[in-house]
Amino acid sequence: MDVEPNPAPPATGARGRSDAARNTEAVLLSARAVFADRGASATIPEIAQRAGVGNATVYRAFGSKSGLLAAVGQDLLSWVSQRIAEAMADATQHGAAAWPAFLEDLFERLRTDRMTLSLLCGELIPGLGTAEVEVRAAMGALVSRMREVGALRPDVNVDDVTILVTGCATGLDHARQQDPAQWRRFADHVQRALAPSTPSRGTTPAPSG
């Protein structure tokens, strides 16, 4: 457990505020990288060292490790929300083809970011409750839309998608599999597992004989 040290008194004046802003941005960038690599188990000293600042600077900017996790987690959930919104728009334009493209992007993100994987697995981070609920609702809406355009079977729900995606991604991560082609392969497995057994809406069956 990280123990908060006694922070040094902050600098004052315009220069002090400018330095503090730069340090805060450096800490946030460092935290994104370290949490992506190590997940939520990463420590404040690791993040501070990468950012080139002292531990006290991290605590001064974010209050605690939980505060830093929440700041990074909010950014990551914003990415997921944005990608869901793009997939919804793509479904209007491209129909069922939007779904495998979304899955491939999501798997690639999970390949390189253990923190996003932890969030999608339901790891609780204080301060992110509302954002996590909103992302789950958005994912549910996307699943419904993909059913409508024929990318998913009528019985598929958001839990089916979440469990399959995070289960495959967790297995690949535990196996230390970093080959992008293998992650794309499993994205394709998930897509095929949930796809309708009949041709997607708007397609013409191949002639027999």
Side-chain angles (χ1 to χ4, degrees), residues 9-93:
T12 59
R15 181 176 178 180
R17 290 191 296 272
S18 178
D19 289 346
R22 281 196 299 271
N23 286 341
T24 297
E25 182 61 22
V27 169
L28 193 54
L29 289 172
S30 172
R32 287 170 183 159
V34 175
F35 285 139
D37 183 56
R38 302 248 295 112
S41 64
T43 66
I44 291 294
E46 290 175 296
I47 293 165
Q49 181 178 25
R50 184 184 179 98
V53 301
N55 293 352
T57 298
V58 180
Y59 287 108
R60 192 158 51 238
F62 295 95
S64 65
K65 180 179 174 180
S66 293
L68 184 53
L69 278 168
V72 173
Q74 185 67 58
D75 282 351
L76 300 182
L77 290 177
S78 294
W79 178 88
V80 176
S81 295
Q82 179 62 33
R83 189 60 189 86
I84 289 172
E86 291 169 355
M88 292 284 278
D90 289 345
T92 300
Q93 184 173 2

Side-chain angles (χ1 to χ4, degrees), residues 83 86-92 94-103 146 149 151:
R83 189 60 189 86
E86 291 169 355
M88 292 284 278
D90 289 345
T92 300
H94 303 294
W99 181 242
F102 170 78
L103 283 179
M146 292 303 172
V149 300

Side-chain angles (χ1 to χ4, degrees), residues 14 49 58 78 80 96 102 110 117 134 150 152 155 161 178 194 200:
Q49 181 178 25
V58 180
S78 294
V80 176
F102 170 78
L110 299 181
L117 177 56
E134 290 174 350
L152 298 172
D155 64 317
V161 172
Q178 281 297 302
L194 300 175
S200 297

Side-chain angles (χ1 to χ4, degrees), residues 148-182:
E148 292 172 1
V149 300
L152 298 172
R153 295 196 311 271
D155 64 317
V156 171
N157 59 42
V158 67
D159 287 333
D160 299 329
V161 172
T162 301
I163 290 170
L164 280 174
V165 168
T166 58
C168 288
T170 299
L172 288 165
D173 181 61
H174 285 175
R176 301 185 184 278
Q177 176 59 258
Q178 281 297 302
D179 183 356
Q182 289 300 316

